[in-house]
Amino acid sequence: MSMIRDLRAAVRPSKRREDAPYKYDTGHREAAHTNSAIVDCGVYRDGRRVSDHVTPSQAMAGVRADGGFAWIGLHEPTEGEFAEIAREFGLHPLAVEDAVHAHQRPKLERYDDTLFTVFKTVHYVEHTELTATSEVVETGEVMCFTGRDFIVTVRHGGQGSLRALRHRLQDDPELLGKGPSAVLHAIADQVVDGYIAVAGAMQDDIDEVEIDVFSSGSDGKSASAGKGSAKGGDAGRIYQLKREVLEFKRAVSPLLRPMQVLSERPMRLVDCDIQKYFRDVADHLARVNEQVLSFDDLLNSILQANLAQATVAQNEDMRKITSWAAIFAVPTMIAGIYGMNFEYMPELKWKYGYPLVLLVTVGICFGIHRGFKRNGWL
């Protein structure tokens, strides 16, 4: 039970800002990685950081000589910057290519004695008002090369910083002593916790749109009455949410299988004690995936309701237009008849013929108007 509490505490998200790459505390550390994509490089032995002022080759030399493992973190490396690290750690060229160029779907692949894992990080973009062009989620990527005595993390995008996570793990030597697989689990848990937070925020947006759509329908107002206003009846808002949900789904759904493999299949590179906790991550991920799928279904229903409201509003407009056209057809017909040049026409020579025709015209129009009004056409 104590290990479970320690694990939870180690991977609990921090409130500190994690956007910026890790900066070293001394001038010597900054000089070690000047003009490099490396944001941190450390050697860990018995769960404690024992070396800071090292390059990746020096870190691996120390690990091979005295044990422990190396953790190298990179941010958007180029092929040239990553080439030396790939050679030092014996990383497969296909995985290296994926790590450099990014834009990969979440996956888990094994190359000899190295696990290559891709996570998509998702960040909720705060907005005061949801519009048809609002960006709701922003994605990035974290890729992990996990070996027996090393873990190399490659991050793409402005989100998903691992700085705070590294500090939290360093505060728990017992957990970090489990090796690189403990770091891999902590990263997976942080990514999935981010999914849960984003899903909750997106649920609020969808609820807001749903309330707007159905409240406008219950008030009898047309869904398109806003004419470009950012109301729930705007189909553009709903469609934009559907696109953002789809992007979220692309991050969540493909990760299900890798998490199941990590939690169920015995692996030499994953500590048996750590593997148990991947089940918890897989369970949370499955729940988020179900929630995302329900988002898509719910937005489909909202969109159909919105389109149905728009169709009803158009039908009402057409009925009104038809009713008024029928009313105006009466004076038009009478005026057309009396506009013909016949000598013998009813009441043509009568003194009160003109007022009588006007009175009859108004009476017929009033009667038709009352009929349409009674039937709800006007």
Side-chain angles (χ1 to χ4, degrees):
M1 292 300 293
S2 62
M3 185 173 181
I4 295 176
R5 287 194 296 270
D6 293 343
L7 186 65
R8 287 293 186 188
V11 299
R12 186 176 297 118
S14 172
K15 294 183 179 179
R16 292 181 296 177
R17 181 176 176 84
E18 301 178 11
D19 296 357
Y22 181 78
K23 297 296 184 182
Y24 295 96
D25 298 330
T26 67
H28 181 84
R29 294 180 186 178
E30 290 180 352
H33 302 304
T34 303
N35 298 324
S36 172
I38 299 177
V39 294
D40 198 359
C41 179
V43 175
Y44 299 86
R45 194 170 296 119
D46 298 325
R48 301 188 182 277
R49 185 161 179 150
V50 297
S51 179
D52 285 329
H53 319 289
V54 292
T55 63
S57 7
Q58 291 171 341
M60 281 310 297
V63 167
R64 287 160 184 161
D66 302 318
F69 73 94
W71 181 358
I72 294 90
L74 301 97
H75 181 254
E76 298 183 353
T78 63
E79 291 184 10
E81 291 170 332
F82 202 37
E84 180 182 351
I85 296 175
R87 286 194 297 269
E88 182 66 38
F89 293 94
L91 306 181
H92 196 279
L94 291 177
V96 170
E97 183 180 359
D98 289 344
V100 171
H101 296 291
H103 303 295
Q104 304 296 317
R105 70 192 303 269
K107 60 183 178 179
L108 172 67
E109 295 178 343
R110 181 166 183 170
Y111 295 96
D112 299 326
D113 289 332
T114 303
L115 288 179
F116 177 59
T117 315
V118 178
F119 301 97
K120 271 195 175 295
T121 57
V122 180
H123 171 70
Y124 180 78
V125 180
E126 297 289 344
H127 45 266
T128 56
E129 183 180 13
L130 181 66
T131 67
T133 57
S134 295
E135 184 179 17
V136 180
V137 295
E138 183 179 85
T139 60
E141 291 179 45
V142 175
M143 306 175 184
C144 303
F145 295 88
T146 309
R148 277 191 252 252
D149 51 9
F150 70 87
I151 180 167
V152 178
T153 57
V154 182
R155 186 166 61 89
H156 289 269
Q159 307 302 325
S161 173
L162 303 177
R163 176 186 176 184
L165 176 64
R166 185 188 288 261
H167 291 325
R168 290 196 300 273
L169 287 174
Q170 288 175 174
D171 292 337
D172 190 349
E174 182 181 354
L175 177 62
L176 201 55
K178 298 295 182 180
S181 60
V183 179
L184 180 62
H185 167 267
I187 293 173
D189 194 64
Q190 176 171 288
V191 170
V192 174
D193 283 346
Y195 292 166
I196 295 173
V198 172
M202 292 190 75
Q203 179 71 67
D204 293 339
D205 283 339
I206 294 173
D207 289 344
E208 178 185 346
V209 169
E210 183 180 22
I211 291 171
D212 287 346
V213 167
F214 288 102
S215 63
S216 65
S218 61
D219 293 340
K221 299 176 182 178
S222 71
S224 58
K227 288 188 177 180
S229 64
K231 290 294 183 183
D234 186 358
R237 297 174 67 203
I238 306 173
Y239 186 70
Q240 178 65 13
L241 264 179
K242 280 184 62 65
R243 292 186 61 184
E244 297 297 306
V245 167
L246 179 60
E247 186 172 1
F248 190 18
K249 182 179 177 182
R250 288 171 180 165
V252 174
S253 296
L255 191 58
L256 286 171
R257 181 57 182 165
M259 288 300 100
Q260 289 175 354
V261 171
L262 286 171
S263 63
E264 298 172 0
R265 185 178 301 173
M267 295 184 180
R268 290 177 299 170
L269 299 174
V270 178
D271 187 276
C272 59
D273 291 330
I274 295 297
Q275 187 173 35
K276 301 174 184 177
Y277 300 107
F278 275 109
R279 298 174 190 169
D280 186 59
V281 178
D283 179 64
H284 290 171
L285 183 65
R287 283 188 288 166
V288 173
N289 185 64
E290 291 174 1
Q291 194 172 4
V292 173
L293 294 178
S294 69
F295 287 167
D296 196 37
D297 292 338
L298 181 57
L299 284 171
N300 283 334
S301 300
I302 295 174
L303 184 59
Q304 290 174 1
N306 175 259
L307 296 177
Q309 288 179 1
T311 301
V312 170
Q314 291 174 354
N315 290 338
E316 290 178 355
D317 292 340
M318 289 302 299
R319 286 194 300 180
K320 291 179 181 179
I321 294 172
T322 303
S323 300
W324 283 112
I327 292 172
F328 284 114
V330 173
T332 302
M333 180 187 68
I334 295 176
I337 292 174
Y338 276 86
M340 293 185 291
N341 295 322
F342 291 111
E343 184 175 352
Y344 302 101
M345 294 185 69
E347 313 302 339
L348 193 61
K349 302 289 186 178
W350 186 39
K351 179 179 180 180
Y352 300 103
Y354 180 70
L356 178 63
V357 170
L358 289 180
L359 185 62
V360 171
T361 302
V362 172
I364 295 174
C365 291
F366 180 75
I368 295 175
H369 183 274
R370 286 291 302 274
F372 283 135
K373 193 81 171 177
R374 190 182 304 112
N375 293 328
W377 282 47
L378 287 175

